[in-house]
Amino acid sequence: MYDPTVARLTYRALLGRRRAAILFVLPALLIAIALAVRVLAGADDQITSDVLGGFALAVMVPLIGVIAGTGAIGPEIDDGSIVYLLAKPVKRPTIIFTKLIVAIAVTMVFSALPTLIAGLILNGNGQQIAVAYTVGALVASIAYSALFLLLGTVSRHAVVLGLVYALVWEALFGSQVPGARTLSVQQWALAVAEKTGAEGAITAEVQLPLATVLLVVVTVGATWYAGQKLRTLKLAGEE
């Protein structure tokens, strides 16, 4: 289910000069904010939770997921170069699974690691807040990568749709509208973070059992459907 050649090509596409520069912007901004807050306000658990929850998990992780998830396959479909990959003797679900693994790895590195660093800067991992949000970012990275990889497979406007989802649904509705929170990857990740952190340090709107089920269903379902959609792409000359 994992093809090293496909993985190498996908890493090269995602970590090209321009895309890598974009990936570095949000983590650098998060760490800069953490340094400024620590200097101005000192170590404060509530402020740490607000910064990591309000910016890292609600904004940075989904946006990096958009870049990595859609970028893993979308450009190849847009410019037609996917046909050369599909012509190889590699099963199409294997292509999707390999690209998902690469997208997850890139999203984790550029979101979970900066979240941990920022948390340590803000309060030195007091009440396990830094570690809790890092775990939440890791979990969210998996779901977001699957969702945005699917989006890159089914739509030529995947980046725009992904940005709308990340900025409007997750950052706005997923944080503010009670009914929408149940269907928010951010809230599912917060449920995992809540369990990881000290009691009362983090609050999630979704219970952990439901969040776990939804994370698994969305990740597996999106990956499966992306594989099915890739099967329907026909090469020139195919019957």
Side-chain angles (χ1 to χ4, degrees), residues 5-190:
T5 301
V6 174
R8 185 172 64 254
L9 293 173
T10 306
Y11 275 119
R12 185 180 302 170
L14 285 179
L15 299 178
R17 183 176 301 175
R18 187 170 67 176
R19 194 175 296 272
I22 296 173
L23 285 170
F24 274 108
V25 170
L26 288 171
L29 180 59
L30 172 63
I31 293 173
I33 291 172
L35 287 168
V37 169
R38 181 59 187 265
V39 170
L40 295 174
D44 184 282
D45 294 342
Q46 185 57 54
I47 293 177
T48 301
S49 186
D50 290 343
V51 172
L52 297 184
F55 181 78
L57 200 57
V59 178
M60 184 184 72
V61 181
L63 286 179
I64 290 176
V66 170
I67 297 170
T70 61
I73 195 168
E76 291 176 294
I77 293 178
D78 291 342
D79 64 19
S81 61
I82 190 71
V83 297
Y84 299 105
L85 183 59
L86 297 180
K88 303 297 182 181
V90 181
K91 294 180 179 179
R92 298 186 185 188
T94 298
I95 295 174
I96 289 294
F97 183 76
T98 301
K99 287 181 174 293
L100 174 63
I101 295 300
V102 173
I104 289 172
V106 170
T107 306
M108 285 181 172
V109 168
F110 285 92
S111 61
L113 184 58
T115 298
L116 177 61
I117 294 172
L120 293 175
I121 292 171
L122 285 164
N123 79 335
N125 196 36
Q127 297 197 68
Q128 294 292 309
I129 293 176
V131 169
Y133 275 104
T134 300
V135 172
L138 289 171
V139 170
S141 296
I142 298 172
Y144 283 132
S145 296
L147 279 173
F148 295 129
L149 180 65
L150 170 62
L151 203 56
T153 305
V154 302
S155 174
R156 290 183 177 274
H157 306 289
V159 174
V160 174
L161 294 175
L163 289 174
V164 170
Y165 175 87
L167 295 176
V168 177
W169 183 263
E170 289 287 1
L172 182 59
F173 289 100
S175 299
Q176 305 298 330
V177 181
R181 293 172 183 169
T182 305
L183 299 178
S184 168
V185 175
Q186 175 194 346
Q187 290 297 326
W188 306 342
L190 273 176

